[in-house]
Amino acid sequence: MKFRIDRDALADAVAWTARTLPVRPPVPVLAGMHIVAGGEENSDRLKLSAFDYEVSAQVSTDIDVEEAGTALVSGRLLAEISRSLPPHPVEVTTDGAKVMLHCGSAKFTLLTMPVEDYPTLPEMPPAAGSVGSDEFAAAVSQVAIAAGKDDTIPMLTGVRVEIEGETVTLASTDRYRLAVRELHWKPERPDFSAVALVPAKTLADTAKSLTAGAEVSIALAGTGGTGEGMIGFEGGGRRTTSRLLDGDFVKYRSLLPSEYAGLAEIQTAPFIEAVKRVSLVAERNTPVRCSFSQGEVVLEAGTGDEAQAVEALEASLEGEDIDIAFNPAFLLDGLSAIGSDVARLSFTTPTKPAVLTGKPPQDGENPNYRYLIMPVRLSG
């Protein structure tokens, strides 16, 4: 194997592929990055792959091939080396059981692993449709914040992806908050319908890393509950697949209130800053109390025997005055995700979930993002 490649192109491709490398590989070869230079199908392309039996990643990029070939080397070491190379073209060659990288006056020699032991990557499922990469990345980041981190309940660590015609609905919950985002996409068939539960971390990492191309193609297989379910994403020369999670997701639509007793509007940026300041005195798991009245909201944290903080902000309120308390970290996550300069908080009672949204583009329209947050009961 012998090829030349631009230093930045190599570093970018290796770094993207290395994200999928397992921290503790179940078998040693899975710590490797699979390198294919040239070949019958793509004589002037480099293909890098990583796989951990759950998630696969593959990227292809242009190179100058002198001699086609395949090799398997330590993925983490290759990522560290390619990131630190000087700004010169890189020449990669093999010599027996070694791979050499020459870049300017720097030279690295890596030992190879047995290529024949490396598992075959899963096939990309059939394409289901495509969506703008930037909008997809933004939508996924809005929803993934509410996914659970506790692996003992795998279902809650996922994002539910519901596809119905031209509408994709993403939802996640950790039982304390729920995030729901709707977006439009271009399905391959107008009547396409599917449901998948995708690991939130994988989905978030993938969506964020596929913004190099204008669109992301989404592919699905086995979403009807039969056999191994899989989702695939492709864009900008990069493709990744992930196994789907099993389990019935929460019937989340029934959690969203159909009517509200009150609605408050606050400027988002000052609200975020005030919550951050007031929560400085909140002990771990202590709520921030929000007292809404006509024209203002008063934020408070801390109790009589501890440090205390109080701050008032302008706010408009429709409905009765209300005192409601939230976990400040959960409230900040939602405020940072709404993507609007005005935050709307809709309540029913101080002990029932409140719904946080941005101001819709036009009055009367439903917001495409909703963040439901459970209040913390106030004692006394």
Side-chain angles (χ1 to χ4, degrees):
M1 180 170 76
K2 187 174 184 181
F3 65 88
R4 265 180 302 280
I5 182 171
D6 175 75
R7 181 256 178 214
D8 289 347
L10 177 67
D12 190 40
V14 169
W16 185 79
T17 312
R19 298 169 321 116
T20 305
L21 292 167
V23 179
R24 287 181 289 276
V27 289
V29 289
L30 292 185
M33 191 173 293
H34 194 251
I35 304 170
V36 179
E40 292 175 16
E41 290 179 28
N42 299 294
S43 57
D44 55 353
R45 303 283 283 177
L46 171 71
K47 199 156 68 175
L48 301 175
S49 310
F51 186 37
D52 68 355
Y53 290 137
E54 299 287 329
V55 180
S56 76
Q58 194 173 84
V59 62
S60 67
T61 189
D62 290 326
I63 52 170
D64 294 324
V65 181
E66 269 191 46
E67 203 176 313
T70 305
L72 185 67
V73 298
S74 164
R76 298 218 179 278
L77 186 55
L78 182 60
E80 286 171 13
I81 290 170
S82 57
R83 189 170 58 231
S84 62
L85 289 172
H88 298 288
V90 184
E91 184 172 281
V92 182
T93 55
T94 51
D95 179 11
K98 293 173 182 172
V99 170
M100 270 88 75
L101 276 82
H102 294 261
C103 181
S105 59
K107 179 185 174 185
F108 291 90
T109 304
L110 285 78
L111 295 176
T112 59
M113 302 169 166
V115 173
E116 61 277 7
D117 292 350
Y118 198 73
T120 306
L121 264 65
E123 291 287 321
M124 196 73 169
S130 60
V131 62
S133 61
D134 289 341
E135 186 186 8
F136 184 60
V140 169
S141 70
Q142 285 179 307
V143 172
I145 53 167
K149 310 287 189 291
D150 183 358
D151 287 337
T152 57
I153 314 173
M155 174 198 73
L156 296 181
T157 65
V159 171
R160 181 177 168 92
V161 180
E162 293 179 8
I163 301 171
E164 201 59 61
E166 293 183 356
T167 304
V168 179
T169 306
L170 306 174
S172 69
T173 181
D174 60 4
R175 292 185 298 190
Y176 303 104
R177 64 253 179 90
L178 162 73
V180 182
R181 168 71 199 264
E182 287 184 358
L183 67 156
H184 286 287
W185 82 322
K186 294 188 287 233
E188 292 286 317
R189 300 194 323 266
D191 62 341
F192 186 81
S193 156
V195 174
L197 191 55
V198 189
K201 187 179 182 310
T202 302
L203 185 62
D205 287 350
T206 300
K208 195 164 55 183
S209 71
L210 289 180
T211 51
E215 293 208 322
V216 173
S217 170
I218 301 177
L220 284 159
T223 55
T226 54
E228 290 286 307
M230 185 174 288
I231 192 165
F233 304 93
E234 190 164 7
R238 298 168 172 183
R239 59 161 58 178
T240 187
T241 65
S242 171
R243 284 174 59 173
L244 300 177
L245 294 168
D246 288 327
D248 292 328
F249 196 69
V250 181
K251 292 185 168 48
Y252 67 90
R253 283 190 171 84
S254 63
L255 302 174
L256 293 161
S258 53
E259 51 190 42
Y260 303 99
L263 171 70
E265 284 193 357
I266 317 115
Q267 292 292 319
T268 308
F271 195 19
I272 287 174
E273 293 308 313
V275 172
K276 283 180 180 173
R277 278 192 292 271
V278 171
S279 64
L280 291 173
V281 302
E283 296 290 323
R284 187 174 163 80
N285 298 325
T286 306
V288 166
R289 177 176 174 155
C290 303
S291 302
F292 289 92
S293 55
Q294 301 303 326
E296 74 169 8
V297 55
V298 177
L299 307 178
E300 292 177 80
T303 55
D305 299 335
E306 300 163 350
Q308 291 173 277
V310 181
E311 185 165 346
L313 289 175
E314 276 187 34
S316 67
L317 176 67
E318 293 172 19
E320 297 292 316
D321 293 2
I322 187 169
D323 285 0
I324 191 165
F326 300 110
N327 173 311
F330 292 170
L331 182 57
L332 287 169
D333 280 348
L335 288 169
S336 303
I338 55 175
S340 167
D341 57 357
V342 175
R344 276 188 171 182
L345 204 51
S346 307
F347 333 91
T348 48
T349 73
T351 56
K352 291 200 173 150
V355 176
L356 181 62
T357 63
K359 196 164 185 179
Q362 293 166 347
D363 278 341
E365 280 189 17
N366 286 325
N368 61 13
Y369 178 66
R370 287 165 293 172
Y371 182 85
L372 178 141
I373 177 168
M374 289 293 295
V376 180
R377 284 181 184 273
L378 289 164
S379 53

